[in-house]
Structure formats: structure tokens, C-alpha cells
């Protein structure tokens, strides 16, 4: 419970009046149900404010006051008299009904009140019989039949429904409708009617039109469609409802509502009874019959009707006859909830008596009322009253505590125009008061129910940062003065707020508390560079001494600073509904996007790599949880409530600066406060892109492969390394060696020549194109599987190669799956991941063709069987000796000399490659690809082709070194 500090007390104590307030009293005081106020005359009289409404069937006509309407209820009238009060929900219809009811009750008129919780059954079985008993001391004839029907609906609803259904079907057939439901369909209809009957006797369940079968229900439920196509939906529904209700009434011999009212009205011979319908929709089932009774011109009728409802519920009363004979009034203009008797100027006086009622019981609060103007002048508290003895409250808010006039006026002004109805205003005040009374908030100005309301009063950022409760206090209780906001010191004491250790922007005085407004003081640090040294130029502008940034003419507010101040003041309202504050929302989104971009280094998906997501310039990387839009694959859900208001104020300032003066937006300063939180959101966004674009089950791989994006990158890198040097087997060590080297990957030249012999042009192009992204792949691989900038995690790479062999990974690539990858996921401009994955799909297909047709077995066997053990030095010696013989074929010496240009290392490498190919070919897919590529390079390697071109005779024949080489090698090889 909340406390105030009396000036003569040594410690806090509760406001004495609040000690006597309980929840039941508060709820009666602020009840939405007019019946509560109409039944409690003292409460109503104390809190009611005179009303004005429009006369006629539409707003804009003559304006009538409530007393003038009351005077129309003359006891000398002949026939029924009807006043219809129409308006939107919460615009005072029930209040006006209650006022007229009280006045007529004081005149001794019999009053039958039908409140919003009544239903047709309770009207016929309880309200009217009770009214009849009170006035005539006897039971209403026929009431027992209503009671019996009511009891049976409660006790045996299935039986009542069964009789109603079967009887209604027979009545429809009697009226020449061709209806013939089968037994099963009839049972389903009975179950449906049973449910409706049970709801019919549940209080408050039928706040809208009462009917057994609705139009939509008839369309959607096949069992109800018993009419043929020649009967339209409207006619079918009306006929079905009427038949069901007639059958129930006939079976229980109950009269209709109009017949009962006529019966009761005829008993009053010296006065006119009054019936009040708070909501006419409760009579909708018999609305037409009732209207005909109300509008008929019969001298013996003597009811005065007060009917309230929205235009939808009273539409049945708008016949030519009714509009000519009834008095219609409108509480509000069409398409608006505003009323004549409540605006921002009258808001305080409107709610004043509700709050004052809490202190009225001991006479502390009494008013001198001006009924014409609707004002309430607070009288002095009597000497023996609690207020007089307490003496805490100032006269300006004694009856309003725990509010003051600015607070209440701002509540009303903060409501949307569509919500500025009496009910919305009163209930908002009540919600704040309830939270304070129950101890959910220490200060009413901190109540959550205030958050949706627009309020542009704002204070310095440091107050939001270090003393947020004072920011709220200023926002609702304060009066703007100069460059700040002033709050009466008594409210600080009343709510027990801390007064020590506050920021310098808050000055606690004996009578007032002054709080600096946002933007009211010159900024101490430069928003661009953070320096605190300023100079004034010849034109009076504040100029940063460090970077030259200008902060506005004469040290005043620049357009940027004025916009910042405006946007900061709207943050609370923006939190509740961003769609209503478009400019603020745009600035926030600009700030968030730019900061996301900064934190992710241009939306990079992996720190320090070229892999990034090119987010559309028109798109935010987030949506709100209360948005109607579900997040796209490239958006996360960002909860506004997770940010402190001080952070959001800094954020909107950053957005304004980025939009209006980009050079003044300091990223470092912005990230100092909320950087950790924003970094978390940025990482969440990165993770979402990974999960939806790179690691999603329907990306890259077909048949729900168990591989992920890292497997794709590793398999790709392994393939590129193999294409760069097919004479070395792909291992973790080999990949690490390549990663550590400075050599750029490229398709081996000799291999490429071999591939051109085996593959078509498009396949060769795909292999060549794959190398265009080799640098990007290597960079990403290092981030995923590296232990440093120059070394891979060899054990991890080895394990992945074993679990996910590169060729198997590429073999699982699927065109459709790759097509699901957004083109916005890219390595660099013109290098998106989807295109690259498609290239690797083509490379894998090309390698499969190479494996099927490209293995050079003869070359492998030649190198391994013929050249193995050859010593280039000895070959060179023999070559030199052969050159001394005139009879040696010059072709032999020429080609042999060419072979001698190669090194022993070249020869040994070729022999090792041949042995590798021979050893691994056919053992698995990757090994076969490796062996094939190795053989293709061997077949095109100069050292091999040069040896193969050495002729065996001087005839110039084309025979090359082969199996006969060893037989003639004695001429040049030992």
C-alpha cells in the first residue's frame, strides 16, 4: 500500500482517506455498468456532470441538455412515449439513462430497469414479475409459465430443444416450406439449439443480438441448411428463428414481451410506468414486435421507454413511423467518440468529483457546483474533517490526490481522439489509481497504463538514465517552465522518493523540484567527436574546437536538436504503438539498421570474412513481436520493451542525426550504453541468416542430407585444392599446407589441358569459374575451421573429412535446394553463394564424367612401369655421348635433349603421382576422382610427353618410348 508524508510526522504514513478505501468501493465508483450508478443515488449525484447531446437521428442538429430531455416525460401524455439515446460505446448513453431514471424515480414514477447483464429470459421470468410484485403486491398472471420455461432450460435443455426443433420443422412445413431433415440431421440441429438455449439463460452472455441461428452459422453449418435453394439465406434464418421461438412460447403458453408489457401497463391507472433498456440488443429476438407496440397510436398504452444502444442495436427502431413518433438523441458525432460535455478544458472538472468522492464521506470534500458550466469549485475543508487535520494537500490538488490538474489533463489529451470518450477517460484514471492503491507502483506516474498515452513532456537524458522515476514524475505532474519542468515538492515527499544522490539535472528545493528538460542545456560533449571544448564563431555559433562541428546559432537549438527533443518526448508513446508515430519509428529503424550494419561490419555473416548478406536498403533487419507481419527469413523479432527508455532516447537521437546530419552521429558514443544488447541482437540476426539460408534443411542438399554449410565449404576447398594440384592426395595436412601458403589456387595448367580433351566447353568453364571464388572460400574456411589466422584446426578438419568426404558432400547438392538460397547471400559484388553453389554442382557433375571416361591407365602404367627408377643425370650423360656419333638419328638426339631439360625431382614427382593413382583408383569416389585427375595431368605433363616423344629409330617414325625403350636404352642409359 502507498504512503504519504505528513508535514508534522516523523515518518511516512498513509493518506487517512485511502485507509478507508477498499477495492469494492473503488470499483463501484468507477464501474462501467451504469446500473451501479443508477442504483446508488448518492454516488450518482456526487459524481454526475451535466450532459448535452444532439437531438435527432444524426449529430449536428439542435443541442439539448439532460433536464430538457427529462421534461419531455410528462405524466399527462396519452399513449406510449419513447426516447432513444444512440451513440458509440462509452459516450454517456447509460449515464444519461441513469440521470433521467433518478429524476423520474424522485417523481414517484414506477421504474423497470433492464441492465446490460439481463437477457430476454430474465426479463420475462424475473425483471417484469418482480416489478409487478413490487407495485401490486401480487404475482404477475402467466409468470409461472416463464419461470417453468426458465427452469426447464436450466434443468433439461436437451428436452426443450428437442421439442422446439421438431415443432419448428412441422411449423415450417405447415407454412409450405419444403424442409425434410433426416433423423441424424434433426439430432444435430437439436444439439445446436440446446447449446443456444443454455447460453440464453447465462447472464451477460448475450450482449449482442439474441437469436438461435445467425446468418454466418447458417452458411457455415450444413446441418442447419434445411431449406432448398429457392429460399435465400436471410429469409431462411428469419423463418427458422421465428419458428423455434414460436414453438417454445406456444408449448409453455408464454406471451411475447410486448404483450406482457401491455398487460402490466394497463394496471397503472394513475401514473405512467417507465422502462429503461440500457442496451436494446437484449430485446433483439422480439425487437420488431416490441417496436410495433412502442410506436402504435393507442390511447390505452401508457409506458415511457428510455432506450439506449449503438446504432446497430437500435437500427430496428428506424422506421418512418418510429422516427416520426420517437425522440432520438445522439451522444456523439458519427465516426467519433468525442462528446459535447468533455474536452481537454473540462477534463479535470469531469473527473474531479470521482476522485473527490473518496474524501467526501467525512465532509472533507464538498463542491459549490455550477450546473450551467459544469464546474466544481472545491469548498474549504471543515475544521473537524480529515483533510483539515491532515493539512498535507495543497488546495489545487486536495480533492484530486494522488493526481493533480496537469496529470489528469494530460491523461485525456494523451488518449487517441477515437478514445476520448467519458468511459475511456474515467477507466484510464481508475487503472492508474488502482495500481497505486494496490501497491503495484510507488508513484502513479509510473503506471503501465499510462504508456500508450501521448505525452511530449520530456526531461534530460541523465534523468532517464539515473533517476527514471523523476522523469515520469515530471512527465505527468510537472509544469513546464523555462528550460525545465517543475514539480511540487509535496509529491516527492508523498511518494517517498529518494532525494539524495540524484543527477545534477534534478534540483530539490523546499517548495519545488526543478528538473532540466531534454535539450534545455547545451550539450557538454561534441556529438561527433566527443570533445568537450567549444568555441563561439563570429556568427555566434557553438563550434567544436576539435573537429569544427557546429551545434547551432548562438549556442541555441539547431533544427537537428529541436527534432531530437521532439522525438525523445514521444518515445514512451512510440513504445506502445510504433505505427502511430511514423517519424519516430523511421528514426529508430534507421538507427537500428545502421548500428546492425556497424556491429556486423556491413552485414557480414562471419566476422572478418567476405561472406555477407546484402540486406535491402528498404528493409529493416527486425520486426516487433506485436507486429501483424511475421518475420521474414532475414529478420529477427526485436522486443521494444527489452530496452530501457534511456537507451531508446539515445537511439532515436542517433537516428535523427544519421538522417539529418550524418557527420554528427557518433557510433562509439551510441554503442557505449546499449552496445552489448545491440550486439546480442546483431548476433541473433546473423544466426538467423545462417539457419534460414545456409544451414536450413532445404538449402544446398537434397534428401535431407546430414551435411551443413561448413561441410560445403570444406568439400569445396578440398576440391579446389585438388584441381590446383591433383598429384597430391587430399588430406587434412595437405589442406592446412595450402591454407598456410601464400600461393593462390588455380586450375593446374596441365590438368586443364587434359580436362579439355574429356569434357565439353561448359563443363570446363564451370571448373575454371570455381576458382574465381577460391580466395573467399579459403577465407570463410579459416573462420569456420581455423585455430589462427594462418593455421587450420587439423584434427577437426581430419574428422570432418572422414565423416563427410568432399566428393560425397558435393554429390548431395541439389539444384532445387540451391535455388532456395537467397541471392543476397554473397561473398562480394557479383559473387553470390547461390551461383557459386550451382557452379560447384556443375563441377561435381563434370568430375563424375571425368571419373567415368578420363582415367589414363596407359599413361599411369607407363610412368610407373617404365620411368620408375630412371636417373635423369645418367640420361643426360648418354645424351651427351650420343651427340658425338654422326650416325645417330637427329630426331632422337633432339627429343632426348628435350627430355633432359627436366629435373630428377620432376620425374620423381610424376612417378609418385602415377603410383598414387594406381594405388587409390577405385577405392572410393574421392580417390577415383583424385586418381583420374592425376592421370590426366600425367598425360599432359611435359616431362612425360617429352620422354614419350623420343623416337626409337632414325627413320623419323612416330614410335615413341615404350616397352622397347629398355632394349635400346643401352645406347644412352646404363
Amino acid at each position: 500500500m502507498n504512503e504519504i508524508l505528513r508535514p508534522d510526522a516523523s515518518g511516512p504514513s498513509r493518506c487517512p482517506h485511502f485507509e478507508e478505501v477498499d477495492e469494492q468501493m473503488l470499483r463501484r465508483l468507477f464501474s462501467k455498468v451504469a446500473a451501479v450508478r443508477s442504483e446508488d443515488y448518492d454516488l450518482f449525484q456526487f459524481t454526475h456532470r451535466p450532459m448535452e447531446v444532439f437531438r435527432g437521428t444524426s449529430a449536428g442538429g439542435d443541442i439539448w441538455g439532460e433536464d430538457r430531455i427529462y421534461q419531455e416525460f410528462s405524466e399527462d401524455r396519452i399513449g406510449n412515449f419513447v426516447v432513444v439515446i444512440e451513440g458509440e460505446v462509452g459516450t454517456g448513453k447509460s449515464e444519461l439513462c441513469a440521470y433521467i431514471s433518478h429524476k423520474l424515480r424522485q417523481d414517484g414514477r414506477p421504474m423497470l430497469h433492464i441492465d446490460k447483464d439481463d437477457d430476454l429470459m430474465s426479463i420475462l421470468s424475473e425483471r417484469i414479475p418482480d416489478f409487478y410484485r413490487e407495485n401490486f403486491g401480487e404475482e404477475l398472471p402467466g409468470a409461472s409459465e416463464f419461470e417453468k420455461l426458465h427452469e426447464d432450460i436450466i434443468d433439461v435443455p436437451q428436452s426443450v430443444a428437442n421439442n422446439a426443433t421438431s415443432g419448428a420443422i412441422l411449423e415450417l412445413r405447415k407454412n409450405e416450406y419444403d424442409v425434410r431433415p433426416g433423423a441424424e440431421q434433426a439430432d444435430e440441429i437439436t444439439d445446436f439449439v440446446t447449446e443456444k438455449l443454455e447460453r440464453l439463460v447465462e447472464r451477460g452472455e448475450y450482449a449482442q443480438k439474441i437469436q438461435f441461428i445467425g446468418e454466418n452459422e447458417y452458411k457455415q453449418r450444413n446441418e442447419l441448411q434445411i431449406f432448398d435453394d429457392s429460399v435465400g439465406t436471410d429469409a431462411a434464418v428469419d423463418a427458422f428463428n421465428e419458428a423455434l421461438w414460436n414453438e417454445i412460447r406456444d408449448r409453455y403458453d408464454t406471451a411475447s414481451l410486448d404483450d406482457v408489457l401491455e398487460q402490466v401497463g394497463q394496471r397503472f391507472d394513475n401514473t405512467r410506468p417507465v422502462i429503461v433498456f440500457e442496451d436494446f440488443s437484449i430485446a433483439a429476438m422480439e425487437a420488431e414486435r416490441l417496436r410495433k407496440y412502442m410506436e402504435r397510436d393507442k390511447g390505452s398504452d401508457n409506458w415511457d421507454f428510455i432506450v439506449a444502444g449503438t446504432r446497430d442495436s437500435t437500427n430496428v427502431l428506424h422506421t418512418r413511423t418510429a422516427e416520426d413518433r420517437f425522440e432520438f438523441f445522439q451522444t456523439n458525432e458519427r465516426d467519433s467518440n468525442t462528446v459535447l460535455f468533455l474536452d481537454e478544458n473540462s477534463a479535470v472538472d469531469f473527473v474531479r468529483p470521482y476522485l473527490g468522492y473518496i474524501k467526501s464521506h467525512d465532509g472533507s470534500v464538498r463542491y459549490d457546483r455550477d450546473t450551467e458550466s459544469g464546474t466544481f469549485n472545491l469548498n474549504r475543508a471543515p475544521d473537524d474533517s480529515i483533510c483539515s487535520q491532515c493539512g498535507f494537500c495543497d488546495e489545487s490538488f486536495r480533492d484530486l490526490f494522488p493526481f493533480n490538474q496537469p496529470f489528469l489533463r494530460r491523461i485525456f489529451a494523451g488518449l487517441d481522439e477515437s478514445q476520448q470518450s467519458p468511459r475511456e477517460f474515467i477507466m484510464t484514471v481508475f487503472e492508474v489509481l488502482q495500481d497505486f492503491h494496490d501497491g503495484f507502483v510507488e508513484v502513479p506516474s509510473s503506471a503501465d497504463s499510462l504508456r500508450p498515452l501521448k505525452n511530449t513532456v520530456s526531461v534530460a537524458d541523465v534523468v532517464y538514465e539515473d533517476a527514471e522515476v523523476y522523469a515520469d514524475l515530471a512527465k505527468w505532474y510537472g509544469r513546464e517552465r523555462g528550460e525545465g519542468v517543475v514539480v511540487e515538492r509535496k509529491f516527492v515527499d508523498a511518494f517517498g522518493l529518494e532525494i539524495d544522490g540524484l543527477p545534477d539535472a534534478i534540483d530539490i528545493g523546499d517548495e519545488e523540484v526543478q528538473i532540466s528538460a531534454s535539450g534545455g542545456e547545451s550539450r557538454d560533449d561534441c556529438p561527433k567527436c566527443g570533445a568537450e571544448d567549444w568555441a563561439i564563431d563570429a556568427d555566434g555559433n557553438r563550434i567544436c574546437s576539435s573537429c569544427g562541428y557546429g551545434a547551432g546559432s548562438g549556442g541555441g537549438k539547431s533544427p537537428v536538436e529541436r527534432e531530437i527533443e521532439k522525438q525523445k518526448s514521444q518515445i514512451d508513446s512510440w513504445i506502445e504503438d510504433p505505427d502511430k508515430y511514423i517519424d519516430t519509428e523511421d528514426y529508430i529503424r534507421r538507427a537500428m539498421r545502421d548500428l546492425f550494419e556497424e556491429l556486423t561490419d556491413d552485414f557480414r555473416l562471419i566476422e572478418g570474412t567476405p561472406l555477407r548478406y546484402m540486406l535491402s536498403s528498404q528493409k529493416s533487419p527486425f520486426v516487433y513481436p506485436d507486429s501483424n507481419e511475421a518475420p521474414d527469413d532475414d529478420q529477427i523479432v526485436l522486443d521494444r520493451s527489452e530496452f530501457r527508455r534511456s537507451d531508446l532516447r539515445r537511439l532515436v537521437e542517433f537516428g535523427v542525426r544519421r538522417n539529418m546530419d550524418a557527420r554528427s552521429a557518433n557510433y562509439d558514443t551510441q554503442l557505449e550504453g546499449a552496445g552489448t544488447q545491440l550486439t546480442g541482437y546483431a548476433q541473433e540476426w546473423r544466426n538467423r541468416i545462417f539457419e534460414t539460408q545456409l544451414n536450413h534443411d532445404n538449402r544446398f542438399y537434397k534428401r535431407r542430407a546430414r551435411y551443413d554449410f561448413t561441410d560445403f565449404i570444406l568439400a569445396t576447398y578440398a576440391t579446389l585444392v585438388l584441381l590446383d594440384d591433383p598429384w597430391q592426395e587430399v588430406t587434412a595436412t595437405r589442406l592446412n599446407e595450402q591454407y598456410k601458403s601464400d600461393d593462390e589456387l588455380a586450375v593446374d595448367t596441365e590438368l586443364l589441358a587434359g580436362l579439355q580433351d574429356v569434357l565439353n566447353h561448359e563443363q570446363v568453364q564451370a571448373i575454371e569459374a570455381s576458382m574465381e571464388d577460391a580466395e573467399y572460400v579459403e577465407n570463410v574456411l579459416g573462420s569456420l575451421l581455423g585455430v589462427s589466422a594462418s593455421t587450420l584446426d587439423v584434427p577437426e578438419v581430419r574428422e570432418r573429412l572422414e565423416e563427410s568426404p568432399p566428393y560425397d558432400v558435393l554429390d548431395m547438392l541439389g539444384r532445387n535446394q540451391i535455388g532456395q538460397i537467397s541471392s543476397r547471400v554473397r561473398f562480394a559484388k557479383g559473387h553470390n553463394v547461390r551461383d557459386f553453389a550451382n557452379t560447384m554442382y556443375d563441377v561435381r557433375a563434370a568430375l563424375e564424367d571425368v571419373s567415368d571416361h578420363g582415367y589414363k591407365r596407359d599413361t599411369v602404367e607407363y610412368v610407373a612401369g617404365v620411368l620408375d627408377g630412371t636417373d635423369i643425370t645418367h640420361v643426360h650423360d648418354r645424351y651427351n655421348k650420343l651427340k658425338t656419333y654422326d650416325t645417330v638419328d637427329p630426331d632422337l638426339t633432339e627429343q632426348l635433349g628435350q627430355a633432359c631439360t627436366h629435373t630428377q625431382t620432376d620425374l620423381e614427382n610424376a612417378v609418385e603421382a602415377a603410383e598414387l593413382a594406381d594405388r587409390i583408383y577405385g577405392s572410393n569416389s574421392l580417390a577415383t576422382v583424385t586418381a583420374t585427375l592425376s592421370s590426366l595431368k600425367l598425360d599432359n605433363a611435359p616431362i612425360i610427353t617429352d620422354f614419350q616423344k623420343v623416337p626409337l629409330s632414325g627413320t623419323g617414325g612416330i614410335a615413341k618410348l615404350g616397352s622397347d625403350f629398355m632394349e635400346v636404352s643401352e645406347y644412352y642409359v646404363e
Side-chain angles (χ1 to χ4, degrees):
M1 307 296 282
N2 293 284
E3 301 170 334
I4 68 168
L5 183 67
R6 297 185 187 181
D8 58 347
S10 59
S13 63
R14 284 185 48 76
C15 168
H17 283 105
F18 273 84
E19 292 178 353
E20 302 176 5
V21 177
D22 57 26
E23 184 174 349
Q24 183 179 7
M25 184 268 196
L26 285 178
R27 292 199 175 278
R28 286 180 59 82
L29 176 61
F30 292 94
S31 176
K32 293 181 180 180
V33 181
V36 173
R37 293 168 55 71
S38 64
E39 293 167 1
D40 188 335
Y41 179 71
D42 290 337
L43 168 63
F44 182 85
Q45 184 185 42
F46 193 93
T47 58
H48 178 70
R49 183 185 187 282
M51 301 174 60
E52 291 180 327
V53 293
F54 297 101
R55 185 192 184 202
T57 57
S58 62
D62 293 341
I63 297 175
W64 281 36
E66 54 191 18
D67 279 327
R68 186 174 179 184
I69 299 173
Y70 155 69
Q71 291 169 7
E72 292 293 306
F73 290 85
S74 170
E75 285 199 278
D76 297 328
R77 282 186 178 275
I78 303 298
N80 292 328
F81 173 64
V82 182
V83 166
V84 182
I85 306 168
E86 299 176 319
E88 296 300 320
V89 175
T91 55
K93 301 185 301 297
S94 297
E95 183 78 2
L96 182 53
C97 285
Y99 174 82
I100 299 173
S101 298
H102 280 305
K103 297 288 287 184
L104 293 174
R105 185 177 286 111
Q106 289 175 337
D107 292 340
R109 299 282 291 277
M111 190 70 57
L112 173 56
H113 190 97
I114 310 298
D115 64 42
K116 294 178 181 179
D117 285 337
D118 277 321
D119 54 61
L120 186 59
M121 288 306 303
S122 66
I123 294 172
L124 293 171
S125 64
E126 297 177 22
R127 288 284 181 262
I128 297 178
D130 291 346
F131 174 77
Y132 190 87
R133 189 181 303 110
E134 290 171 4
N135 283 276
F136 303 112
E138 60 187 60
E139 297 299 321
L140 174 67
S144 59
E145 285 79 6
F146 285 118
E147 292 175 2
K148 180 60 177 173
L149 172 58
H150 199 193
E151 291 175 2
D152 284 354
I153 291 176
I154 295 174
D155 297 337
V156 286
Q158 187 80 20
S159 299
V160 177
N162 185 60
N163 289 331
T165 301
S166 58
I169 292 171
L170 292 176
E171 181 177 339
L172 289 170
R173 291 181 60 84
K174 180 180 178 181
N175 293 335
E176 298 185 355
Y177 285 105
D178 185 17
V179 295
R180 53 183 76 186
E184 183 177 350
Q185 185 178 8
D187 289 341
E188 291 176 341
I189 296 173
T190 298
D191 292 339
F192 178 83
V193 174
T194 300
E195 180 183 346
K196 286 301 184 77
L197 285 170
E198 290 173 338
R199 292 177 59 190
L200 186 62
V201 294
E202 292 179 4
R203 291 291 178 87
E205 183 67 26
Y206 267 7
Q208 301 301 320
K209 182 178 180 179
I210 300 174
Q211 55 187 359
F212 287 110
I213 300 170
E215 182 176 332
N216 288 334
E217 290 171 326
Y218 183 82
K219 291 177 180 178
Q220 295 169 5
R221 303 188 64 147
N222 293 332
E223 72 270 20
L224 300 179
Q225 298 170 10
I226 62 175
F227 297 85
D228 58 36
D229 294 339
S230 64
V231 182
T233 300
D234 291 343
V237 168
D238 290 343
F240 211 161
N241 278 316
E242 184 176 1
L244 286 166
W245 189 234
N246 287 342
E247 178 61 26
I248 291 174
R249 279 207 311 246
D250 289 346
R251 179 170 291 277
Y252 285 87
D253 195 23
T254 57
S256 62
L257 178 59
D258 58 303
D259 289 340
V260 175
L261 289 178
E262 181 178 10
Q263 177 186 354
V264 173
Q266 289 176 351
R267 287 294 307 271
F268 291 95
D269 52 11
N270 60 351
T271 188
R272 293 173 61 84
V274 181
I275 182 170
V276 180
F277 285 95
E278 274 192 36
D279 186 346
F280 193 65
S281 65
I282 61 178
M285 190 174 287
E286 295 207 348
E288 291 191 15
R289 291 176 61 98
L290 182 58
R291 184 205 69 228
K292 292 176 181 178
Y293 170 67
M294 293 161 64
E295 70 182 6
R296 73 185 188 181
D297 186 14
K298 190 173 181 180
S300 60
D301 294 334
N302 61 343
W303 278 97
D304 283 340
F305 288 88
I306 305 174
V307 176
T310 62
R311 185 61 182 262
D312 289 340
S313 66
T314 59
N315 189 55
V316 69
L317 303 180
H318 284 269
T319 63
R320 180 172 299 180
T321 300
E323 290 185 352
D324 183 57
R325 296 181 179 179
F326 299 173
E327 285 285 356
F328 285 87
F329 296 94
Q330 311 296 317
T331 57
N332 60 282
E333 295 184 10
R334 185 67 62 89
D335 301 324
S336 171
N337 279 346
T338 57
V339 297
L340 292 168
F341 52 90
L342 176 61
D343 55 25
E344 189 173 348
N345 293 326
S346 62
V348 174
D349 280 331
F350 181 83
V351 76
R352 181 185 294 277
Y354 286 83
L355 296 169
Y357 185 75
I358 298 172
K359 298 183 178 183
S360 67
H361 300 292
D362 70 321
S364 288
V365 170
R366 286 287 183 268
Y367 296 108
D368 180 12
R369 301 168 185 260
D370 186 335
T371 56
E372 291 187 4
S373 65
T375 57
F376 293 76
N377 296 315
L378 181 62
N379 293 330
R380 187 182 67 84
D383 293 339
D384 58 348
S385 67
I386 293 175
C387 278
S388 176
Q389 295 172 8
C390 173
F392 171 78
C393 294
D394 185 89
E395 283 299 300
S396 65
F397 63 80
R398 180 165 60 84
D399 58 337
L400 304 179
F401 185 83
F403 304 96
N404 66 356
Q405 292 190 43
F407 199 139
L408 296 170
R409 192 173 292 113
R410 286 168 188 162
I411 287 180
F412 181 82
L415 293 167
D416 286 341
E417 184 176 347
S418 62
Q419 295 178 308
Q420 288 180 330
S421 67
R423 178 179 298 176
E424 288 292 337
F425 179 42
I426 287 293
M427 294 314 300
T428 302
V429 173
F430 169 65
E431 288 171 6
V432 176
L433 183 62
Q434 185 78 14
D435 284 350
F436 173 68
H437 178 259
D438 292 344
F440 292 118
V441 293
E442 293 299 321
V443 186
S445 53
S446 297
D448 287 342
S449 52
L450 295 172
R451 299 289 189 214
L453 307 184
K454 184 175 182 179
N455 182 336
T456 60
V457 178
S458 180
V459 293
D461 288 342
V462 67
V463 181
Y464 285 90
E465 184 75 31
D466 299 329
E468 191 172 22
V469 67
Y470 275 89
D472 290 330
L473 193 76
K475 190 179 187 73
W476 294 101
Y477 288 94
R479 291 177 170 84
E480 294 176 289
R481 180 192 298 169
E483 295 295 336
V485 179
V486 175
V487 180
E488 291 179 80
R489 167 68 185 267
K490 286 188 176 183
F491 286 107
V492 173
D493 296 334
F495 307 129
L497 301 184
E498 291 289 339
I499 60 174
D500 297 322
L502 300 175
D504 293 341
I506 302 175
D507 182 15
I508 305 291
D510 293 337
E511 300 295 329
E512 295 179 338
V513 176
Q514 297 188 36
I515 306 172
S516 296
S518 61
E521 69 281 8
S522 297
R523 182 168 178 160
D524 293 330
D525 61 315
C526 173
K528 182 181 179 184
C529 71
E532 298 182 357
D533 295 327
W534 297 89
I536 305 297
D537 65 10
D539 297 323
N541 295 315
R542 295 177 73 239
I543 303 297
C544 175
S545 301
S546 297
C547 69
Y549 171 75
S553 175
K557 299 174 184 176
S558 67
V560 174
E561 290 171 327
R562 288 196 295 271
E563 183 67 11
I564 289 171
E565 183 173 325
K566 173 186 174 182
Q567 295 306 324
K568 283 182 175 181
S569 72
Q570 295 183 163
I571 280 295
D572 284 358
S573 301
W574 169 86
I575 292 173
E576 298 300 324
D577 192 353
D579 292 338
K580 283 176 54 180
Y581 298 88
I582 299 174
D583 290 344
T584 309
E585 171 67 0
D586 287 344
Y587 289 132
I588 291 287
R589 287 189 178 274
R590 173 65 187 270
M592 291 296 294
R593 179 192 168 87
D594 288 357
L595 291 168
F596 267 46
E597 188 172 5
E598 175 77 9
L599 290 167
T600 58
D601 188 18
D602 194 23
F603 297 112
R604 296 179 190 274
L605 300 181
I606 302 176
E607 195 77 28
T609 74
L611 183 63
R612 63 184 292 264
Y613 186 86
M614 191 190 72
L615 187 68
S616 168
S617 61
Q618 304 301 315
K619 191 171 191 178
S620 295
F622 62 87
V623 297
Y624 301 122
D626 53 354
S627 171
N628 292 327
E629 301 177 5
D632 292 335
D633 287 349
D634 54 3
Q635 292 177 311
I636 62 171
V637 177
L638 188 148
D639 193 343
R640 304 182 300 281
S641 65
E642 292 182 357
F643 287 84
R644 296 180 303 172
R645 283 189 289 169
S646 56
D647 293 334
L648 290 171
R649 287 167 64 86
R650 283 197 300 270
L651 198 62
V652 79
E653 176 178 350
F654 183 80
V656 171
R657 293 189 183 281
R658 286 291 296 154
N659 194 62
M660 297 181 66
D661 185 10
R663 67 195 183 103
S664 72
N666 190 309
Y667 283 89
D668 293 337
T669 300
Q670 176 60 35
L671 292 173
E672 280 179 5
T676 302
Q677 185 177 11
L678 292 174
T679 300
Y681 276 120
Q683 186 57 49
E684 182 182 345
W685 178 82
R686 276 176 166 170
N687 293 339
R688 179 164 177 82
I689 299 297
F690 249 92
E691 293 306 314
T692 60
Q693 294 296 334
L694 301 177
N695 280 339
H696 191 277
D697 288 343
N698 196 33
R699 303 293 189 269
F700 288 102
Y701 308 108
K702 55 192 175 184
R703 298 196 297 273
R704 293 190 175 275
R706 55 186 176 85
Y707 307 125
D708 58 16
F709 178 66
T710 302
D711 290 323
F712 170 74
I713 290 295
L714 180 58
T716 297
Y717 189 66
T719 303
L720 299 181
V721 169
L722 180 61
L723 292 169
D724 177 78
D725 185 0
W727 282 4
Q728 296 190 61
E729 191 173 6
V730 173
T731 64
T733 302
R734 167 74 187 104
L735 296 181
N736 190 44
E737 290 174 353
Q738 176 61 45
Y739 181 77
K740 291 165 61 177
S741 74
D742 294 330
D743 297 337
E744 294 184 3
L745 290 170
V747 180
D748 183 88
T749 304
E750 295 149 13
L751 171 61
L752 184 59
L755 292 173
Q756 289 170 340
D757 293 336
V758 178
L759 302 175
N760 61 42
H761 178 67
E762 288 75 15
Q763 290 175 310
V764 173
Q765 275 190 319
I767 290 176
E768 290 183 304
S770 67
M771 287 296 179
E772 294 177 6
D773 290 327
E775 181 183 353
Y776 305 136
V777 172
E778 187 173 65
N779 194 300
V780 173
L781 179 70
S783 294
L784 294 173
L785 296 175
V787 292
S788 69
S790 60
T791 306
L792 295 177
D793 185 346
V794 174
E796 171 68 14
V797 173
R798 182 180 298 113
E799 182 178 347
R800 278 192 175 263
L801 289 176
E802 292 175 356
E803 294 181 354
S804 307
Y807 189 83
D808 292 353
V809 172
L810 298 184
D811 191 46
M812 287 299 291
L813 292 176
R815 283 285 196 214
N816 290 336
Q817 288 72 21
I818 291 172
Q820 300 300 314
I821 303 171
S822 172
S823 61
R824 295 183 178 277
V825 183
R826 56 180 54 188
F827 294 122
K829 185 176 181 180
H831 295 260
N832 67 61
V833 172
R834 183 175 67 191
D835 290 346
F836 179 67
N838 272 316
T839 297
M840 292 311 300
Y841 179 94
D842 294 334
V843 169
R844 192 274 312 159
L847 293 179
E848 185 173 342
D849 286 349
V850 171
S851 297
D852 291 342
H853 310 293
Y855 186 60
K856 300 298 182 180
R857 185 179 302 276
D858 291 343
T859 302
V860 171
E861 291 177 351
Y862 166 74
V863 175
V866 176
L867 297 185
D868 186 17
T870 300
D871 187 335
I872 291 294
T873 302
H874 290 175
V875 174
H876 194 274
D877 290 344
R878 295 303 180 263
Y879 162 68
N880 288 333
K881 290 179 181 181
L882 287 173
K883 287 194 300 181
T884 63
Y885 294 94
D886 295 335
T887 57
V888 176
D889 186 341
D891 287 342
L892 172 62
T893 56
E894 181 181 351
Q895 293 299 327
L896 191 58
Q898 183 64 34
C900 289
T901 61
H902 300 287
T903 67
Q904 184 66 31
T905 299
D906 292 337
L907 184 60
E908 289 175 356
N909 287 342
V911 171
E912 288 178 2
E915 291 175 345
L916 172 66
D918 185 58
R919 174 170 53 83
I920 67 175
Y921 182 78
S923 57
N924 57 58
S925 299
L926 179 59
T928 299
V929 171
T930 302
T932 303
L933 297 180
S934 180
S935 72
L936 283 173
K937 177 175 178 178
L938 283 171
D939 198 51
N940 289 273
I943 188 172
I944 305 305
T945 58
D946 285 347
F947 270 108
Q948 288 175 326
K949 291 178 181 178
V950 177
L952 295 180
S953 67
T955 62
I958 61 173
K960 300 178 181 179
L961 291 173
S963 60
D964 294 334
F965 175 75
M966 296 304 295
E967 298 177 9
V968 299
S969 64
E970 59 197 54
Y971 292 104
Y972 55 90
V973 179
E974 291 184 355

